[in-house]
Structure formats: C-alpha cells, structure tokens
C-alpha cells in the first residue's frame, strides 16, 4: 500500500506538524488550517476531502478530532 501523501504528526503546543509528499509544509492547529495546507499542496478537492481516508492522510498521535 502506498504511503499517504499527507502526514499529520502528534499535537504539540505549536500545533501539529504537517508534511506533504515528504516535505514539511507547516503546523496546523485545527482542521481549517489543515485544509488550507491541502489547498496549498494542490489537492483538488481540499474543501471536501475525507480526512479520515488513510490513502490521503496518515495521522500520528491521534486522528482529526485531536488537536491539543
């Protein structure tokens, strides 16, 4: 199975680190900020993308409901 193109790391005081295709693209503090990173990474359906889809997002240290 191919790796997910987006990796979201465990929460920290500064938010969750986000990588797209192996490149660090910032820290998200909530779903809105994560979706902005998806937009910047060129994901065509970033507004409606299923963030629980493991083919799209690999969550480390908690899923999309965990931000702190």
């Amino acid at each position: 199975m191919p790796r997910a193109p987006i990796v979201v790391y465990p929460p920290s005081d500064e938010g969750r680190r986000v990588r797209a295709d192996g490149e660090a693209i910032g820290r998200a503090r909530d779903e809105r900020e994560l979706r902005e990173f998806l937009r910047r990474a060129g994901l065509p359906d970033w507004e409606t993308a299923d963030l629980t889809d493991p083919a799209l997002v690999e969550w480390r240290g908690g899923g999309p409901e965990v931000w702190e």
Side-chain angles (χ1 to χ4, degrees):
M1 182 168 124
R3 294 191 60 181
I6 305 294
V7 179
V8 181
Y9 291 87
S12 73
D13 291 341
E14 296 87 29
R16 297 183 77 159
R17 287 184 304 129
V18 181
R19 295 179 79 81
D21 293 323
E23 180 180 334
I25 58 173
R27 292 183 181 265
R29 293 178 301 244
D30 56 29
E31 181 181 323
R32 181 190 57 78
E33 289 184 352
L34 177 59
R35 288 191 183 277
E36 174 60 18
F37 287 133
L38 297 179
R39 183 190 69 77
R40 290 182 193 173
L43 190 72
D45 60 344
W46 62 273
E47 290 178 293
T48 58
D50 179 4
L51 299 179
T52 64
D53 180 355
L56 175 63
V57 182
E58 177 184 337
W59 292 93
R60 298 182 182 177
E65 69 284 348
V66 179
W67 293 99
E68 30 179 87

